[in-house]
Amino acid sequence: MLIRADRLVTADKVYEPGLLRVDGDRVADVGPWTDGTADLEVGTLAPGLVDVHCHGGGTASFSIDPETAIHAHRRTGTTTQVASLVTETYEDLEAQVRMLTPYVEAGELAGIHLEGPWLAAEFHGAHPVPLLRDPVWSEVERLLDAGPVTMVTVAVEREGGIEACRRMAARGVVAAIGHTNADHATTVAALEAGATGATHLFNAMKPIHHRKPGPIVALMDDPTAWLEMIVDGTHSDPALVKWVAETYPERLVLVTDAMAAAGAADGDYILGTLAVEVRDGVAKIAGTDTIAGSTLVLAKAVSNSVAFGVDPLVALRAATIQPARYLGLDAGDLVVGGRADAVVLDESWTVTRVMRKGEWLD
Ligand SMILES: [Zn+2]
């Protein structure tokens, strides 16, 4: 299949016009359009989207019905997905990691993210406080040994937090700083020990104070730290999204942090062990004002970013190659020999078609 795109976006080049040749599930050629007859002509063609922080979609959590969650996001453009798990007991998390392992082995998921239980009680968000724990290494290791865990969110100020970052980095597991009450110095120490990013920067962490700059300034200041943001218009103000995208365009990582209602209707849901109410697309812990994940799909985060004034190419890279590099995934680009995962976008940078493994999805 030979596709001609008015604009073809790869990780480091834009071809106007460009060509993509697909052979089976692989990219056979990519580059500038020369001449010939295309099998298909499209507007903008970009790599398939990569979401490294997502709990579910299509009414289902990854922890309960991964098939439904995978397809809800995949059909909207997310061709590479990491399944995030919220805080539960060690026994339940271990069982969930084991249940998800075959999906990773089959290439349906790119890995597993543990968001908890090693989080700060002060910034617990949608995680049950009684189940939060210090990252005692033997207990962390138990869950890492249970299956392909690729990322762990840690409140690095907890007892053992810095050591956990060091040991995770040594194992090739991404340590992400989040749900944290850490001060600036502790955050710097965690980054030096091997932490490489922020779990939803700004959300569920100590805010910036001029005499207590806290984790946010340390994370922004580290040229190697990846910065997750949830661009749904609720989690962070659009002006802040635009500012981060302009200030740190090469470190921004768009994530959904979606719960089961992504790509589904308003209603009453469960996130981990907690009841969540979704009204007008905003998810909150039942009876409270605490946001409990988003109802985003990643394609919507891209078009939202553009609507908020972010450079479209920055938004696309923040949803493709940058998350892939953050987690060391072979995804997020269109390269010869790579998996043929792509999305077609219209003039408003809205995804209109999705290809995964060389096949167009419905
Ligand atoms: Zn989350």
Side-chain angles (χ1 to χ4, degrees):
M1 176 173 28
L2 179 62
I3 305 170
R4 180 195 181 281
D6 294 334
R7 182 197 289 119
L8 188 143
V9 181
T10 68
D12 49 26
K13 284 201 175 72
V14 179
Y15 302 103
E16 293 181 299
L19 77 79
L20 180 73
R21 189 189 300 277
V22 174
D23 186 8
D25 65 351
R26 297 282 140 182
V27 173
D29 196 8
V30 60
W33 178 260
T34 45
D35 51 30
T37 309
D39 299 310
L40 180 69
E41 297 194 8
V42 299
T44 296
L45 190 67
L49 308 182
V50 180
D51 191 359
V52 297
H53 183 168
C54 177
H55 301 272
T59 72
S61 293
F62 282 113
S63 57
I64 294 173
D65 176 3
E67 300 273 345
T68 298
I70 288 168
H71 289 288
H73 287 278
R74 183 178 291 173
R75 65 183 185 77
T76 59
T78 309
T79 52
T80 299
Q81 305 176 50
V82 171
S84 300
L85 300 174
V86 290
T87 300
E88 299 203 30
T89 64
Y90 283 121
E91 291 69 29
D92 286 343
L93 284 171
E94 188 174 10
Q96 290 169 16
V97 170
R98 290 192 193 287
M99 182 273 287
L100 289 168
T101 296
Y103 292 89
V104 179
E105 288 171 346
E108 298 292 291
L109 291 172
I112 299 167
H113 164 216
L114 299 178
E115 190 179 24
W118 305 294
L119 311 179
E122 300 90 335
F123 292 98
H124 63 90
H127 297 256
V129 173
L131 296 181
L132 300 179
R133 295 285 180 269
D134 287 331
V136 175
W137 183 250
S138 59
E139 293 172 354
V140 177
E141 203 166 35
R142 169 179 167 189
L143 292 185
L144 300 187
D145 286 344
V149 173
T150 42
M151 178 162 68
V152 176
T153 299
V154 189
V156 292
E157 74 280 11
R158 290 198 78 124
E159 181 81 35
I162 305 288
E163 186 59 17
C165 292
R166 194 183 328 278
R167 288 174 179 251
M168 281 192 264
R171 271 184 77 128
V173 173
V174 168
I177 299 171
H179 287 270
T180 179
N181 194 30
D183 60 18
H184 183 270
T186 305
T187 308
V188 169
L191 289 161
E192 284 173 354
T196 53
T199 292
H200 41 57
L201 187 70
F202 301 106
N203 295 115
M205 59 177 68
K206 192 210 295 273
I208 301 172
H209 181 280
H210 54 290
R211 283 188 295 273
K212 296 174 184 170
I216 296 169
V217 170
L219 283 157
M220 292 196 299
D221 212 22
D222 183 328
T224 67
W226 299 96
L227 308 173
E228 281 187 3
M229 288 194 83
I230 307 164
V231 185
D232 61 353
T234 299
H235 278 77
S236 287
D237 189 276
L240 185 61
V241 171
K242 181 167 176 281
W243 182 82
V244 173
E246 285 175 355
T247 312
Y248 307 107
E250 289 167 1
R251 294 197 277 134
L252 178 62
V253 170
L254 300 185
V255 295
T256 61
D257 192 14
M259 41 73 74
D266 281 3
D268 297 330
Y269 289 87
I270 297 289
L271 178 63
T273 57
L274 301 178
V276 174
E277 293 170 346
V278 180
R279 303 288 181 266
D280 300 321
V282 177
K284 291 182 175 172
I285 297 296
T288 78
D289 237 357
T290 301
I291 310 175
S294 85
T295 59
L296 274 179
V297 296
L298 200 57
K300 180 68 175 158
V302 171
S303 59
N304 281 347
S305 297
V306 175
F308 296 166
V310 176
D311 179 330
L313 294 179
V314 169
L316 271 181
R317 288 184 181 124
T320 55
I321 190 64
Q322 287 169 196
R325 287 187 178 145
Y326 182 16
L327 264 68
L329 306 175
D330 183 14
D333 197 3
L334 289 166
V335 289
V336 173
R339 204 167 78 186
D341 292 354
V343 292
V344 176
L345 300 104
D346 67 13
E347 306 76 42
S348 63
W349 302 86
T350 298
V351 170
T352 56
R353 292 188 81 177
V354 183
M355 173 190 283
R356 188 169 186 275
K357 291 184 167 180
E359 287 183 9
W360 295 106
L361 309 183
D362 290 334

